[in-house]
């Protein structure tokens, strides 16, 4: 007999020990329905078996925090009785299989999480990582993932206002697609998902239920599924943004009319996870009648109905007296709605079909009793990742700057973000490329000014591979720096941790160190974590991805009219470098293009000094004293200067004397990376005033149509803006057009 | 007694068909030569009680006669 | 003056259009399933993805009950403005000439574009000057305006093209760089760019406001 036949639990990803525990909790062997449900609820994706203990380190309290981790999305107070709900989630594995639908359904899923808490979605951001763009596969994934995000976000009327995009060898076989969404709600509208009130009705509304995503659980199918039955086992989930638009309007109207006791969206593990989590949070039980679930496919078995991942569905709990009104609202929005069960006080999740109980499990066993594992971290004794491929053959700064600007990690992202509607809902004050963070206005205050929120999504892979602790601290600092450059103070953070197989000691080490770094950085900045997501096992035969924590931060600024910009704007403005910035080449983009192996460790960061610099820059932006502010990131100072010139359409004359006229020290000064650096421009007296509070050096002025750097010994580097713009323009565009 | 009907909708000759052009460009890149005149349209399949009304359906909804031709085929 | 802004399942920019209209008058949202136009002075058919763009852009929305009333309103000379998906719906409904095809690049593009006002003596452009440049964002996948040769000639000869993309600005391949056309009678106008997203200095250019102001001017002068 096959292993599968004797031990189906193994085929479903459960260990023998886990199976024994299930038997103990049930007091008997589980049947097929129960086994499939346990296998999902106790999977890494749902139970966070290898990461939950680590995540407890993260700070989850703060003065503006309204809803922390554990609900569908977290939420922060943005003043005037308004809340912003937000979260980031990964959809990595589905996107590697079918990038358009994988990315689209990733957006769909995160949007549902946001309106499930009662917030109207107002923005999407995405963090994408693929292999190098000279691979046909990576070009294919890029094109289709971007297409999918645009298709879903544009169709549903939610603007995609920001994102990040990187290309590194280790993502070739395991791409990363992380989607973040934000929503707005009055405080009182924020909705929790706990099922309460025994006797209340459980209503499923949205799309019909089919066999989407059943995949592995099909080993339990009582019918033999042979080759010709492949169409019975779709593993790709297809998203329908039109259905979700109706679902969203329907859900928000139901909440506006106060018709619901609680609301939950259906995501990974479908009805199983949504229903058990609702029951768990309420400390109650649920009876689900699968024969009442409206189906898209005939003849679905109870376990299939419980594990289906068909998209665009929600669950709500409704008092019996209000069920008819709920059904009427759903009918208005052309959304199928069916009462499929009841809340009970049994503490058990029961699955019924035609009156028969086909599954009966304690809720606690499903949701809370999954064993959590300690990691066994061990710092690797040898490098895990090969050195990046050498692309650059020159040491001449004159050639290096255009090469960096044209490299895939730095090139113009316009061909990507122009595929996204960034304007719908009329809130967008800073569009992609205008500034370091996206800015959305909030309703006007009494005096007519509009406060605004700022949001940025920033992750790091290669530098976290160099130093998981410091690399992660840098990523959190960079996100906060981006907010500072538009004048926003951070209110909360969401994170997605993308890592390899945590059962391997070196990956466990990466994960532990990264979470430790995130916790320390968040505490140092006083930014709480409102929620997030973990994606593990991102590795293949060629090895693991770079350890990639992705951070999304939301902040607030008091006056949208004063939101910062990154481009040099006025001839004659002074230019200054500010902050505790210490450039270093190892682990930088230049080092990557030169094919240098990853260093073991990154330089220390003075987090307190960086925080201070961010505050000073933020306040100066708020006072309207700066014409531009730009965080120094990949490519160092020279690239940041070029971006300010290109962004504003003005050249600059900048003094770099003191670093030599040639050689490594000059390259380090121009292209070295690290946290805490800002390029500022504006009237000289305003910048001078900042020098009292932070390191600030005047380095030149906005002038003409060239970027000119003066070096030692009367040496000069000069590039016409047109040349720099052209160098930057083709990198991504060429890959998408080929 | 219901009949299964197929309606093929295609862009009118001479109309800009960027989808057809994109496919025509993509095929040689995959090693398929000797392909020309590619056009991309739509297939609509329906069970109908009265097949004589399908033409009217096409004129009114299924095709836009300004820019599309349609062909009714019994499946 | 009151605008009526239509809402179909899948419409996205109706609230934005309503906000823009409210800068020059009052505006109500009209539900697709109703037939009552509530006595409004002008109709706006907004942008979005009505009915998911299924079958053909605008093909299903054009049969909505509210559209029967809009068609009657237009036949009696009422001003009707169609934006993006609205333009597509009005073409499908036969209220405007031509049709919208997929962009020549086959991709959705969201970009601020310069438009040139071809005629300023109309219901929709009287607040502009002839040859004035308007900076307005366009965001669509299916915005390539097309008409068969005879119809296209007629449209041009009648001066029905009110807005054209400035040279080099079009990304969709529209015949004659047409950005917006009116019907023969001059009371129905459709354009692919989104004037409702160019009305607030906080979010960018305010050139789009002129189109809404023009309609308000016209209604005001014809009370």
């Amino acid at each position: 007999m096959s292993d599968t036949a004797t031990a189906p639990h193994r085929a479903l990803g459960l260990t023998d020990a886990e199976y024994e525990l299930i038997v103990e909790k049930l007091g008997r062997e589980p049947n097929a329905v129960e086994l499939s449900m346990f296998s999902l609820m106790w999977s890494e994706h749902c139970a966070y078996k290898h990461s939950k203990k680590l995540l407890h380190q993260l700070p989850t309290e703060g003065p503006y925090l309204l809803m922390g981790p554990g609900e569908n999305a977290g939420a922060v107070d943005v003043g005037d009785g308004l809340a912003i709900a937000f979260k980031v989630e990964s959809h990595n594995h589905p996107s590697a299989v079918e990038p358009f639908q994988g990315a689209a359904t990733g957006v769909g899923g995160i949007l549902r999480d946001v309106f499930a808490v009662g917030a109207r979605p107002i923005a999407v951001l995405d963090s994408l990582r693929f292999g190098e763009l000279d691979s046909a596969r990576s070009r294919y994934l890029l094109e289709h993932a971007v297409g999918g995000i645009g298709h879903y976000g544009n169709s549903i009327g939610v603007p995609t206002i920001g994102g990040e995009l990187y290309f590194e060898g280790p993502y070739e076989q395991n791409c990363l697609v992380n989607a973040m969404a934000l929503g707005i709600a009055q405080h009182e509208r924020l909705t929790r998902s706990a099922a309460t009130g025994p006797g209340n009705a459980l209503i499923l509304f949205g799309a019909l239920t089919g066999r989407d995503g059943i995949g592995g659980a099909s080993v339990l199918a009582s019918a033999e599924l042979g080759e010709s039955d492949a169409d019975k086992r779709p593993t790709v989930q297809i998203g329908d943004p039109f259905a979700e638009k109706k679902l969203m309007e329907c859900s928000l109207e139901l909440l506006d009319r106060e018709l619901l006791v609680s609301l939950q969206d259906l995501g990974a593990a479908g009805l199983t996870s949504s229903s058990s989590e609702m029951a768990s949070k309420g400390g109650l039980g649920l009876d689900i009648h699968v024969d009442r679930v409206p189906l898209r496919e005939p003849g679905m078995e109870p376990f299939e109905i419980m594990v289906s991942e068909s998209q665009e569905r929600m669950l709500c709990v409704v008092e019996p007296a209000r069920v008819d009104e709920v059904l009427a609202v759903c009918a208005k929005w052309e959304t199928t709605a069916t009462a499929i069960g009841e809340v009970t006080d049994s503490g058990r999740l029961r699955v019924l079909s035609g009156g028969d109980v086909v599954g009966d499990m304690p809720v606690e066993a499903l949701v809370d009793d999954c064993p959590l594992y300690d990691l066994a971290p061990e710092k690797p004794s040898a490098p895990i990742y090969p050195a990046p491929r050498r692309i650059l053959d020159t040491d001449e700064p004159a050639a290096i700057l255009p090469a960096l600007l044209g490299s895939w990690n730095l090139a113009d992202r316009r061909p990507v973000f122009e595929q996204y509607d960034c304007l719908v809902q009329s809130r967008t004050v800073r569009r992609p490329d205008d500034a370091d963070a996206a800015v959305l206005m909030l309703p006007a205050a009494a005096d007519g000014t509009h406060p605004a929120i700022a949001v940025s999504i920033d992750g790091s892979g290669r530098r976290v591979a160099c130093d998981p602790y410091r690399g992660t601290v840098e990523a959190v600092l960079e996100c906060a720096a981006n907010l500072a450059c538009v004048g926003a103070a951070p209110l909360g953070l969401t994170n997605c941790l993308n890592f390899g197989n945590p059962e391997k000691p070196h990956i466990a080490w990466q994960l532990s160190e990264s979470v430790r770094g995130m916790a320390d950085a968040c505490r140092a900045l006083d930014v709480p974590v409102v929620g997030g997501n973990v994606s593990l096992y991102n590795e293949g035969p060629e090895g693991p991805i770079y350890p990639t924590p992705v951070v999304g931060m939301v902040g607030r600024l008091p006056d949208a009219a004063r939101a910062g910009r990154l481009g040099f704007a006025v001839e004659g403005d002074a230019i200054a470098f500010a902050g505790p910035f210490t450039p270093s080449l190892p682990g930088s983009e230049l080092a990557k293009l030169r094919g240098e192996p990853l260093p073991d460790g990154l330089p220390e960061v003075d987090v307190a000094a960086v925080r201070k610099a961010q505050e000073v820059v933020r306040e100066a932006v708020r006072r309207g004293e700066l014409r531009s502010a730009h965080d120094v990131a990949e490519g160092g100072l020279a690239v940041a200067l070029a971006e300010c010139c290109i962004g504003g359409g003005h050249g600059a004359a900048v003094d770099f004397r003191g670093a030599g006229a040639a050689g490594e020290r000059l390259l380090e000064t121009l292209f070295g990376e690290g946290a805490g650096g800002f390029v500022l421009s504006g009237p000289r007296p305003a910048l001078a005033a900042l020098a009292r509070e932070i390191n600030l050096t005047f380095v030149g002025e906005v002038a003409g149509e060239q970027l000119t750097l003066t070096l030692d010994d009367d040496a000069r580097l000069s590039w016409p803006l047109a040349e720099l713009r052209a160098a930057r323009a083709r990198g991504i565009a060429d890959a998408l057009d080929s | 007694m219901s009949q299964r009907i197929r309606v093929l909708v295609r862009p009118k000759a001479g109309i800009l068909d960027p989808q057809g052009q994109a496919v025509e460009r993509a095929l040689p890149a995959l090693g398929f030569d000797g392909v020309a005149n590619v056009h991309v349209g739509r297939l609509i399949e329906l069970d109908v009680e009265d097949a004589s009304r399908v033409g009217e359906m096409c004129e009114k909804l299924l095709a836009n006669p300004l820019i599309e031709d349609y062909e009714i085929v019994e499946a | 003056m009151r605008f009526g802004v239509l809402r179909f399942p899948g419409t996205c920019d109706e609230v934005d259009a309503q906000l823009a209209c409210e800068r020059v008058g009052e505006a109500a949202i009209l539900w697709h399933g109703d037939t009552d136009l509530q006595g409004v002075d002008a109709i706006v058919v907004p942008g979005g993805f009505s009915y998911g763009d299924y079958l053909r852009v605008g093909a299903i929305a054009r049969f909505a009950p509210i559209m029967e009333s809009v068609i009657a309103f237009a036949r009696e000379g009422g001003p009707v403005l169609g934006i993006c998906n609205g333009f597509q719906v009005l073409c499908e409904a036969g209220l405007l000439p031509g049709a919208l095809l997929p962009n020549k690049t086959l991709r959705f593009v969201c970009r601020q574009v310069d438009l040139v006002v071809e005629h300023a003596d109309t219901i929709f452009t009287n607040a502009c000057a002839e040859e004035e440049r308007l900076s307005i964002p366009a965001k669509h996948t299916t915005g390539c305006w097309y008409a068969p040769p005879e119809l296209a000639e007629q449209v041009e000869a009648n001066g029905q093209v009110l807005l054209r993309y400035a040279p080099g600005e079009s990304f969709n391949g529209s015949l004659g760089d047409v950005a917006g056309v009116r019907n023969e009678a001059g009371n129905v106008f459709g354009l692919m760019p989104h004037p409702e997203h160019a009305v607030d200095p906080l979010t960018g250019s305010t050139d789009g406001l002129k189109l809404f102001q023009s309609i308000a001017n016209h209604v005001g002068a014809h009370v």
Side-chain angles (χ1 to χ4, degrees):
Chain A
M1 274 209 274
S2 75
D3 188 53
T4 307
T6 48
H9 68 268
R10 288 199 199 130
L12 293 175
L14 289 168
T15 65
D16 291 347
E18 287 167 350
Y19 183 76
E20 292 306 320
L21 190 56
I22 293 169
V23 171
E24 187 193 307
K25 297 286 173 187
L26 284 181
R28 52 172 170 79
E29 305 253 342
N31 63 25
V33 173
E34 292 158 348
L35 185 59
S36 60
M37 290 173 66
F38 269 103
S39 75
L40 285 175
M41 293 305 293
W42 285 25
S43 69
E44 186 64 50
H45 188 94
C46 288
Y48 287 47
K49 293 190 277 212
H50 286 91
S51 60
K52 204 173 229 178
K53 288 191 179 184
L54 275 186
L55 296 176
H56 287 141
Q57 286 176 73
L58 298 174
T60 57
E61 311 260 299
Y64 303 100
L65 195 95
L66 295 173
M67 228 154 65
E71 289 294 334
N72 284 303
V76 293
D77 175 17
V78 293
D80 299 317
L82 287 174
I84 294 290
F86 63 104
K87 192 172 175 195
V88 67
E89 268 198 356
S90 63
H91 225 224
N92 303 331
H93 298 106
S95 299
V97 171
E98 212 310 303
F100 187 95
Q101 290 299 340
T105 51
V107 171
I110 194 66
L111 287 173
R112 281 196 302 280
D113 276 328
V114 165
F115 65 80
V117 301
R120 172 171 287 280
I122 60 171
V124 163
L125 295 88
D126 54 85
S127 168
L128 307 176
R129 284 176 165 77
F130 305 105
E132 300 288 354
L133 273 185
D134 52 2
S135 121
R137 174 164 173 74
S138 294
R139 285 199 297 276
Y140 166 80
L141 291 176
L142 170 67
E143 174 165 0
H144 290 266
V146 169
I149 292 166
H151 167 69
Y152 211 100
N154 300 345
S155 302
I156 200 179
V158 178
T160 298
I161 58 170
E164 56 161 17
L165 176 58
Y166 287 96
F167 305 95
E168 308 280 354
Y171 302 112
E172 173 77 22
Q173 296 303 325
N174 294 275
C175 61
L176 299 185
V177 173
N178 292 176
M180 176 181 179
L182 288 77
I184 191 167
Q186 300 281 345
H187 286 196
E188 324 70 81
R189 179 59 60 237
L190 288 176
T191 305
R192 288 171 192 270
S193 55
T196 55
N200 281 343
L202 185 71
I203 294 183
L204 174 68
F205 62 108
L208 302 178
T209 298
R211 292 200 164 89
D212 309 73
I214 288 181
S218 62
V219 294
L220 299 176
S222 46
E224 280 286 324
L225 289 179
E227 282 288 311
S228 59
D229 293 316
D231 57 327
K232 288 187 186 167
R233 282 180 295 181
T235 47
V236 176
Q237 307 143 8
I238 305 291
D240 179 355
F242 176 52
E244 183 133 316
K245 168 77 165 162
K246 293 187 288 185
L247 183 67
M248 176 177 77
E249 297 301 340
C250 179
S251 302
L252 293 173
E253 183 169 331
L254 288 171
L255 289 170
D256 267 341
R257 295 209 200 180
E258 299 183 356
L259 290 171
L260 306 182
V261 170
S262 58
L263 184 59
Q264 170 75 284
D265 79 295
L266 273 70
L271 267 176
T272 297
S273 66
S274 310
S275 60
S276 44
E277 277 166 27
M278 285 182 105
S280 167
K281 292 207 183 85
L284 293 170
L286 279 175
D287 278 356
I288 299 184
H289 300 259
V290 290
D291 49 324
R292 296 183 196 162
V293 172
L295 302 176
R296 202 177 75 217
E297 305 284 329
M300 284 179 67
E301 298 191 35
F303 87 86
E304 293 182 303
I305 296 171
M306 288 307 295
V307 308
S308 160
E309 293 185 349
S310 293
Q311 300 291 294
E312 290 103 21
R313 298 176 298 161
M314 308 284 283
L315 265 186
C316 60
V317 172
V318 181
E319 285 166 14
R322 319 220 65 186
V323 167
D324 283 341
E325 285 171 81
V326 169
L327 297 180
V329 172
C330 292
K332 169 188 167 187
W333 286 103
E334 301 175 0
T335 295
T336 309
T338 323
I340 63 164
E342 297 89 42
V343 180
T344 68
D345 54 14
S346 66
R348 299 183 75 86
L349 181 58
R350 297 197 314 159
V351 181
L352 298 100
S353 183
D356 297 325
V357 177
V358 297
D360 185 352
M361 300 140 281
V363 172
E364 216 175 80
L366 274 170
V367 181
D368 301 312
D369 290 346
C370 177
L372 299 179
Y373 298 110
D374 286 310
L375 299 179
E378 213 175 279
K379 181 173 173 176
S381 48
I384 304 171
Y385 306 99
R389 195 177 0 121
R390 182 183 180 86
I391 298 200
L392 205 55
D393 268 323
T394 174
D395 279 338
E396 297 299 320
I400 289 177
L401 181 59
L404 272 174
L405 288 173
S407 67
W408 294 313
N409 281 349
L410 288 169
D412 192 2
R413 270 100 176 86
R414 187 163 293 267
V416 166
F417 67 69
E418 278 193 339
Q419 295 187 50
Y420 306 142
D421 177 354
C422 65
L423 300 174
V424 64
Q425 299 196 35
S426 298
R427 292 192 183 85
T428 311
V429 172
R430 292 290 176 264
R431 305 179 193 181
D433 258 15
D434 284 346
D436 281 358
V439 178
L440 299 174
M441 73 169 99
L442 294 170
D447 66 353
T449 61
H450 286 263
I453 55 162
V455 56
S456 183
I457 189 166
D458 294 278
S460 183
R462 201 177 66 253
R463 286 180 76 87
V464 177
C466 300
D467 189 327
Y469 178 85
R470 286 183 181 155
T472 303
V473 168
E474 272 183 9
V476 175
L477 291 178
E478 169 159 1
C479 206
N482 286 332
L483 259 50
C485 286
V486 297
L491 299 173
L493 174 159
T494 179
N495 66 83
C496 187
L497 302 173
N498 304 276
F499 286 74
N501 178 347
E503 298 167 64
K504 296 184 180 172
H506 56 280
I507 303 292
W509 175 77
Q510 291 177 339
L511 183 57
S512 323
E513 287 297 286
S514 178
V515 174
R516 190 170 70 87
M518 185 171 299
D520 285 353
C522 286
R523 255 185 285 276
L525 293 179
D526 279 315
V527 182
V529 174
V530 311
N533 183 238
V534 177
S535 170
L536 300 176
Y537 299 96
N538 292 288
E539 61 181 85
E542 284 92 60
I545 56 167
Y546 285 144
T548 315
V550 170
V551 163
M553 226 183 252
V554 172
R556 184 185 186 275
L557 50 146
D559 186 357
R562 290 210 170 144
R565 288 179 207 275
L566 73 88
F568 293 147
V570 175
E571 286 269 317
D573 270 348
I575 299 173
F577 294 151
F581 178 60
T582 310
S584 123
L585 279 179
S588 69
E589 289 298 312
L590 177 56
K592 175 192 170 177
L593 294 188
R594 296 205 293 191
E596 289 167 22
L598 303 190
D600 177 13
L602 291 173
E604 205 180 326
V605 178
D606 182 348
V607 179
V610 171
R611 174 178 175 162
K612 174 76 179 168
Q614 290 179 359
E615 285 168 1
V616 170
V617 168
R618 179 212 316 154
E619 293 306 314
V621 170
R622 288 183 175 191
R623 288 191 301 265
E625 290 169 359
L626 299 180
R627 206 91 61 189
S628 73
H630 184 32
D631 161 56
V632 178
E634 284 90 3
L637 284 169
V639 165
L641 280 168
E643 288 166 348
C644 294
C645 290
I646 293 169
H650 288 271
V654 181
D655 184 354
F656 269 96
R657 281 172 301 179
E664 277 304 291
R665 196 164 136 251
L666 176 63
L667 293 184
E668 180 184 77
T669 307
L670 294 176
F671 305 111
E673 298 174 12
F678 295 91
V679 175
L680 310 175
S681 78
R684 199 182 168 98
L687 292 176
L690 301 183
R692 285 193 285 257
E693 298 180 83
I694 48 169
N695 287 358
L696 184 137
T697 314
F698 282 101
V699 295
E701 66 172 29
V702 177
E705 286 168 29
Q706 318 241 52
L707 172 59
T708 303
L709 311 184
T710 305
L711 311 176
D712 286 320
D713 310 329
D714 286 331
R716 259 204 180 80
L717 295 167
S718 193
W719 304 267
L721 272 202
E723 181 191 325
L724 297 178
R725 202 178 276 122
R728 192 173 170 261
R730 302 295 340 153
I732 305 289
D734 282 347
L736 282 176
D737 289 340
S738 64
Chain B
M1 187 62 197
S2 106
Q3 232 182 318
R4 186 99 180 128
I5 300 286
R6 271 196 191 127
V7 177
L8 299 172
V9 180
R10 46 174 75 86
K12 264 187 150 67
I15 296 248
L16 177 68
D17 178 11
Q19 290 180 92
Q21 285 175 356
V23 173
E24 200 169 316
R25 272 196 308 270
L27 286 170
L30 292 169
F32 301 104
D33 293 309
V35 177
N37 211 13
V38 179
H39 291 289
V40 174
R42 257 192 322 279
L43 164 70
I44 299 147
E45 290 182 318
L46 44 167
D47 289 334
V48 293
E49 304 273 305
D50 182 358
S52 70
R53 302 205 65 196
V54 177
E56 217 185 305
M57 292 178 207
C58 291
E59 292 288 324
K60 214 163 178 217
L61 179 69
L62 302 181
N64 181 339
L66 194 68
I67 51 174
E68 293 172 329
D69 289 329
Y70 61 87
E71 186 186 328
I72 301 170
V73 178
E74 269 165 55
Chain C
M1 99 137 277
R2 267 177 93 231
F3 291 87
V5 179
L6 306 191
R7 171 182 278 155
F8 304 99
T11 293
C12 296
D13 299 78
E14 78 281 27
V15 176
D16 306 278
Q18 185 186 28
L19 289 173
C21 292
E22 282 172 348
R23 286 174 180 258
V24 300
E26 289 173 1
I29 303 278
L30 302 176
W31 182 245
H32 68 102
D34 296 333
T35 50
D36 181 6
L37 296 184
Q38 297 177 27
V40 299
D41 304 296
I43 293 286
V44 176
V45 194
F49 292 78
S50 59
Y51 297 95
D53 277 1
Y54 291 155
L55 187 62
R56 260 182 341 273
V57 291
I60 300 177
R62 76 81 118 211
F63 288 112
I66 196 78
M67 281 304 295
E68 286 168 33
S69 309
V70 168
I71 291 169
F73 177 83
R75 298 239 186 281
E76 281 157 33
V80 179
L81 170 68
I83 303 170
C84 199
N85 188 219
F87 185 9
Q88 295 160 348
V89 172
L90 294 174
C91 286
E92 282 284 334
L95 287 179
L96 284 173
L100 283 320
L101 300 177
N103 293 349
K104 64 180 181 196
T105 54
L106 284 180
R107 287 207 186 110
F108 181 96
V109 178
C110 175
R111 188 187 295 168
Q112 195 83 9
V113 293
D114 275 358
L115 308 176
V116 177
V117 177
E118 297 278 305
H119 300 280
D121 53 347
T122 80
I123 294 176
F124 304 93
T125 52
N126 59 64
C128 311
E130 211 163 281
E131 290 183 38
E132 179 178 354
R133 276 210 179 199
L134 305 175
S135 172
I136 294 185
K139 42 177 194 146
H140 54 258
T141 319
T142 312
C144 173
W145 184 78
Y146 169 84
E150 251 183 57
L151 179 57
E153 262 176 56
Q154 204 182 317
V155 164
E156 291 281 357
N158 286 348
Q160 287 171 247
V161 179
L162 300 189
L163 292 175
R164 241 183 263 276
Y165 297 104
E169 292 282 290
S170 166
F171 53 76
N172 57 38
S174 276
L175 199 61
D177 275 342
V178 167
V181 284
R182 65 165 173 82
N183 63 351
E184 271 187 59
N187 65 315
V188 181
F189 174 55
L191 74 162
M192 284 311 296
H194 285 256
E196 78 282 20
H197 287 300
V199 300
D200 184 349
L202 274 182
T203 59
S205 144
T206 56
D207 290 349
L209 197 53
K210 294 181 181 180
L211 300 187
F212 297 96
Q213 187 61 59
S214 298
I215 301 173
N217 290 347
H218 167 81
V219 169
H222 289 77
V223 169

